[in-house]
Amino acid sequence: MDLEPALPPSPPKPKRRSAEVVLHAAEVEDTRLRKPVNTLAMQPKSHRITVLGRKVWNKLLKEAQRQGMDEETHSSPLREIVRGIDFNSKDVEQVKKHLRAMITTLVEWQSPTKGEGAAWEACAMLAHAKLEKRRGGEVWVEWSYAVNMRQELLQPFVWADLDMEILFQFSHHPALALYEICARYKGVGRTPRQDWNWWRPVLTGKPDGEKTANFEYRMFKRDVLNKAVAQINQISDLEVELKDYKEGRFVKDIQFLIRPKKQRSLLASIDGPVDLALLNRAEALDIDPEKAETLISEFGPEAFQRGLDGLERRVKSDFAEPVRDSYRYLKSMLPSEAKIVVAKIEEEAARADPTSPESRREQEARMKEWNDKFKTRIREELIAELQALPVEQQAVIAGELLEDLTRRNAHASILKRLQTSGWNHNLVRGEMIRFYGLRSRGEGWDEPTAEQLLQVAAESRPA
């Protein structure tokens, strides 16, 4: 979860290219999945959801969204569904096993953000599934979704924008499930705060039962949370940090702090037009220009150039075996080359401004803007509530405010203005907002939750 508006902005229109390049562009773009928010925190009630099952379900959803609402059932060659997934077995029985589990696994669909879904929903992950051989002997898979979920699944109103290539890399369900949630909230910098017991079935993919009723938090943290966070930080574009909150001596709630990975955020700042010379060099090494542009965008032109240098040296070397796939070889080199570039950027940034890197300033400025907007909004709401009250009730609250100000030894001018001009006077209004906010909403009334920040940020996103 990128921090998305109700409807994320449409991607920019691609430049006109040759038919062959347009085909490659479509392949790259097809790695994005618009996953509805109510599918991010599925709570299984009958059977376990495995990491492979979740990956296959994501692929089925991606393909169903492509086919659209006009199709009540969807079908695709099985090889397309398992392509890119760590599915090494050729035994169709294994495929049947996972499809059968999706049909029989009852889940409760929910968003991590409280109250975001319009209604509570529960049904199986799939309504039906079928494998059959079609013309040419190729195996196809057919599937459908429950009627009450089709619209939300295929044409979601609010979704997380996920990169399937990153999802494919996860080997554990807790890490995959947590990453999907964190990806949605990466713009706001933190997930919603929930009771740790809420997270347990969501991340493990296992229904709660008698065995988990007495499960201790320290074990959940050791065996599930820490491992999930470690895998996300190792292989994804995010850095995630667990934060827990105690009630008395025991942990009650947890949430996750989210930051874009420093390497990627620094490299992303290297902006400008793509150097055509780099694309020509890549094409000479049998790397498609569209894929080359994607790598340049992800790792930066300097790291890409360093990678091309290494690839050219490898091609010209006396190794016994030639490079079988130039693109994959180059892509495997770029993370280490990018680290070298990042180290240079950090060194230069440290010399220029050791305390405030540009990326951190921008993030802090954005968070401050959202916080300020929230505080302005909540104050306006409180004033509107007060003004809507009967005059007699306003007078009672003003009397209580006077007692509170007197007890706190407020300045005499404020007490006088409250008694002579009322609570809406400029000198008094701020005190009334504080007093009424605390009384009507409790401690922390002017501190936004992750959900409230999400809403402000969504409304602040340009149309």
Side-chain angles (χ1 to χ4, degrees):
M1 185 224 119
D2 193 333
L3 190 153
E4 75 287 357
L7 287 175
S10 301
K13 294 181 179 179
K15 299 175 183 178
R16 187 176 297 276
R17 301 171 185 263
S18 67
E20 182 180 1
V21 174
V22 168
L23 174 61
H24 287 300
E27 290 175 352
V28 173
E29 183 178 327
D30 197 46
T31 64
R32 309 305 300 187
L33 168 65
R34 291 178 175 179
K35 191 162 186 180
V37 294
N38 278 355
T39 66
L40 298 178
M42 294 185 292
Q43 284 200 4
K45 294 299 179 182
S46 55
H47 297 89
R48 177 187 177 191
I49 302 174
T50 66
V51 63
L52 181 56
R54 193 176 184 112
K55 289 179 181 180
V56 171
W57 193 85
N58 284 342
K59 284 293 292 285
L60 293 174
L61 178 61
K62 173 65 182 174
E63 179 61 21
Q65 289 179 345
R66 188 188 68 80
Q67 295 179 13
M69 283 289 295
D70 292 339
E71 304 293 334
E72 292 187 3
T73 63
H74 309 278
S75 61
S76 173
L78 179 60
R79 58 180 171 79
E80 292 297 324
I81 298 302
V82 300
R83 183 162 58 93
I85 299 176
D86 51 346
F87 189 83
N88 299 319
S89 174
K90 296 181 179 180
D91 188 356
V92 177
E93 288 302 318
Q94 291 297 318
V95 180
K96 292 180 181 178
K97 174 183 174 182
H98 287 284
L99 292 174
R100 192 180 298 116
M102 293 180 211
I103 297 171
T104 58
T105 299
L106 176 67
V107 297
E108 291 185 0
W109 310 82
Q110 58 182 343
S111 166
T113 301
K114 294 178 180 177
E116 185 171 47
W120 174 84
E121 296 279 1
C123 63
M125 297 175 69
L126 293 180
H128 99 284
K130 180 173 73 172
L131 292 177
E132 64 176 351
K133 284 188 178 181
R134 296 189 179 179
R135 184 177 301 174
E138 185 170 25
V139 177
W140 281 60
V141 57
E142 178 184 287
W143 72 97
S144 64
Y145 300 100
V147 175
N148 60 326
M149 290 298 296
R150 286 190 71 246
Q151 178 74 37
E152 186 170 359
L153 291 175
L154 303 186
Q155 294 182 346
F157 183 69
V158 185
W159 65 84
D161 185 25
L162 303 175
D163 187 338
M164 299 283 282
E165 289 187 350
I166 294 179
L167 301 185
F168 292 160
Q169 298 179 48
F170 288 101
S171 57
H172 301 290
H173 186 277
L176 175 56
L178 180 58
Y179 174 78
E180 290 183 3
I181 293 173
C182 289
R184 185 193 176 218
Y185 295 94
K186 64 183 178 183
V188 79
R190 51 183 171 174
T191 66
R193 174 175 163 178
Q194 296 275 13
D195 188 297
W196 74 267
N197 289 287
W198 179 90
W199 291 93
R200 186 174 57 223
V202 168
L203 298 187
T204 63
K206 300 177 183 178
D208 270 339
E210 293 182 3
K211 291 184 178 180
T212 58
N214 298 319
F215 200 59
E216 295 183 12
Y217 172 72
R218 63 181 180 84
M219 298 170 62
F220 179 57
K221 180 178 180 180
R222 181 195 65 194
D223 298 339
V224 178
L225 299 179
N226 288 345
K227 292 180 180 180
V229 168
Q231 188 168 85
I232 290 173
N233 292 342
Q234 178 185 4
I235 68 177
S236 82
D237 55 341
L238 302 178
E239 288 184 354
V240 175
E241 177 186 349
L242 170 65
K243 184 174 180 59
D244 47 33
Y245 300 87
K246 289 186 176 180
E247 190 173 274
R249 295 187 299 114
F250 301 101
V251 171
K252 183 180 185 298
D253 296 342
I254 62 173
Q255 68 178 166
F256 298 88
L257 308 182
I258 311 159
R259 296 180 296 274
K261 192 162 285 185
K262 183 181 292 185
Q263 171 181 312
R264 292 178 182 252
S265 61
L266 284 173
L267 292 172
S269 66
I270 309 174
D271 204 359
V274 175
D275 187 348
L276 293 180
L278 290 178
L279 298 183
N280 291 335
R281 285 183 62 192
E283 193 166 18
L285 292 166
D286 295 326
I287 298 174
D288 179 81
E290 183 68 31
K291 292 184 177 181
E293 284 191 44
T294 302
L295 294 178
I296 293 172
S297 174
E298 182 175 2
F299 295 101
E302 186 175 348
F304 186 81
Q305 180 172 323
R306 292 176 61 90
L308 285 180
D309 294 341
L311 175 58
E312 287 178 339
R313 288 193 296 269
R314 172 66 177 81
V315 170
K316 295 176 182 178
S317 68
D318 295 328
F319 272 83
E321 291 191 10
V323 176
R324 295 182 180 180
D325 189 325
S326 296
Y327 169 73
R328 289 184 178 274
Y329 185 88
L330 175 62
K331 189 175 181 180
S332 69
M333 295 175 61
L334 290 181
S336 58
E337 296 296 344
K339 288 180 181 178
I340 297 174
V341 176
V342 168
K344 291 169 58 179
I345 296 173
E346 288 179 331
E347 184 179 352
E348 294 172 1
R351 287 197 297 266
D353 187 355
T355 60
S356 303
E358 184 65 27
S359 59
R360 184 176 300 173
R361 286 203 304 269
E362 290 179 0
Q363 185 175 5
E364 290 175 352
R366 192 164 57 244
M367 292 295 291
K368 183 179 184 302
E369 177 188 355
W370 294 341
N371 272 279
D372 290 345
K373 285 186 176 181
F374 171 81
K375 291 178 186 296
T376 298
R377 176 181 302 174
I378 194 67
R379 281 164 169 75
E380 291 174 350
E381 289 178 0
L382 290 171
I383 291 174
E385 283 183 22
L386 283 164
Q387 291 175 338
L389 295 174
V391 175
E392 296 79 7
Q393 192 170 349
Q394 291 185 42
V396 171
I397 298 174
E400 294 172 348
L401 173 62
L402 180 61
E403 293 178 2
D404 179 70
L405 291 173
T406 303
R407 186 169 52 254
R408 294 192 293 113
N409 295 321
H411 196 277
S413 61
I414 298 179
L415 299 177
K416 180 179 179 181
R417 289 299 182 185
L418 174 58
Q419 292 172 309
T420 59
S421 303
W423 67 264
N424 209 19
H425 188 275
N426 289 338
L427 279 178
V428 186
R429 188 184 300 117
E431 292 290 348
M432 174 57 92
I433 292 173
R434 177 199 61 79
F435 177 77
Y436 185 68
L438 184 62
R439 169 177 164 166
S440 62
R441 287 163 171 76
E443 292 285 350
W445 62 270
D446 61 344
E447 295 297 328
T449 64
E451 296 91 333
Q452 291 165 330
L453 270 185
L454 180 66
Q455 181 64 31
V456 173
E459 295 172 358
S460 303
R461 185 76 59 89

